[in-house]
Amino acid sequence: IRVKVEEVYVRAAEGGTGFAKCAVNYGGAFYPTQLAREQGFDQVLWTDAKDHQYIDESGAMNVMFVLNGKLVTPKLTTAILDGVTRDSILTLAKDLGMPTEERRISLDDLIEGFKKGTLTEAFGAGTAAVVSQIATINIHGKDYNLPSIDAGSFQQRVKQKLSNLRTGV
Ligand SMILES: *Cc1c(COP(=O)(O)O)cnc(C)c1O
């Protein structure tokens, strides 16, 4: 999917109810998502409500990156949904020998990762799609493309592992 970093609108602010799956969180997402769709994107990549500098989530999914060979995902705040898929993937990463890091991820971290080639994967994580591959991230109006991924990628391997657990294979 193609995602656009949202630097104007806000899904959830710290101190609010963004961490929970409750209906009130979703109304505010419709208009910015519609605008992003009209601009040729599939989803919005939400940033923090205060400075629009740090990544929160993508649409109604948690977001994860492979950066410098580690699985990196935003550290939970009151503005980020505490998703079970996120939690499962962090757990399974250990079985797959993948180091994990939960921390604040800035737009500059992503830009640097794209420039140095150290940002190798990006994906959304949620119950519906399990893992949703991000191919392009638009930051400050510029498209940055991720490398293509294959069956050996972390996201494909962890998706398979999680699907096997869910179906009892
Ligand atoms: C549902 C949802 C997620 C993913 O949560 P899961 O428990 O993995 O399904 C992430 N962010 C938002 C905003 C959601 O609504």
Side-chain angles (χ1 to χ4, degrees):
I1 60 171
R2 281 168 56 77
V3 299
K4 172 194 160 190
V5 169
E6 183 56 68
E7 297 184 74
V8 177
Y9 299 100
V10 169
R11 184 193 85 91
E14 285 223 53
T17 56
F19 62 91
K21 214 168 193 53
C22 66
V24 70
N25 292 334
Y26 299 93
F30 287 120
Y31 182 63
T33 304
Q34 184 193 324
L35 287 182
R37 294 233 163 100
E38 285 166 5
Q39 293 160 7
F41 300 99
D42 300 294
Q43 267 306 343
V44 163
L45 192 54
W46 301 109
T47 49
D48 71 284
K50 195 158 155 257
D51 301 315
H52 293 294
Q53 277 308 311
Y54 297 94
I55 302 296
D56 275 354
E57 303 194 57
S58 180
M61 291 181 289
N62 290 110
V63 67
M64 303 184 132
F65 304 93
V66 176
L67 185 60
N68 292 316
K70 281 189 214 156
L71 177 65
V72 186
T73 192
K75 185 172 147 63
L76 294 175
T77 68
T78 50
I80 297 178
L81 191 118
D82 184 3
V84 68
T85 312
R86 174 186 181 280
D87 187 51
S88 303
I89 292 176
L90 284 170
T91 302
L92 292 175
K94 293 183 185 94
D95 297 348
L96 292 168
M98 182 67 148
T100 62
E101 207 168 74
E102 294 174 69
R103 61 165 169 94
R104 296 221 290 181
I105 302 167
S106 69
L107 297 181
D108 288 342
D109 291 338
L110 296 185
I111 292 171
E112 190 189 318
F114 277 115
K115 290 198 171 142
K116 290 189 174 164
T118 51
L119 179 58
T120 49
E121 296 187 38
F123 57 97
T127 301
V130 186
V131 164
S132 181
Q133 186 205 344
I134 296 174
T136 304
I137 304 178
N138 185 280
I139 310 173
H140 308 315
K142 181 174 186 301
D143 274 358
Y144 292 87
N145 296 312
L146 276 296
S148 55
I149 58 146
D150 57 26
S153 64
F154 174 76
Q155 62 187 282
Q156 288 292 328
R157 286 186 299 139
V158 82
K159 183 176 189 172
Q160 190 64 53
K161 209 166 161 73
L162 192 50
S163 300
N164 290 352
L165 280 172
R166 288 164 117 198
T167 54
V169 171

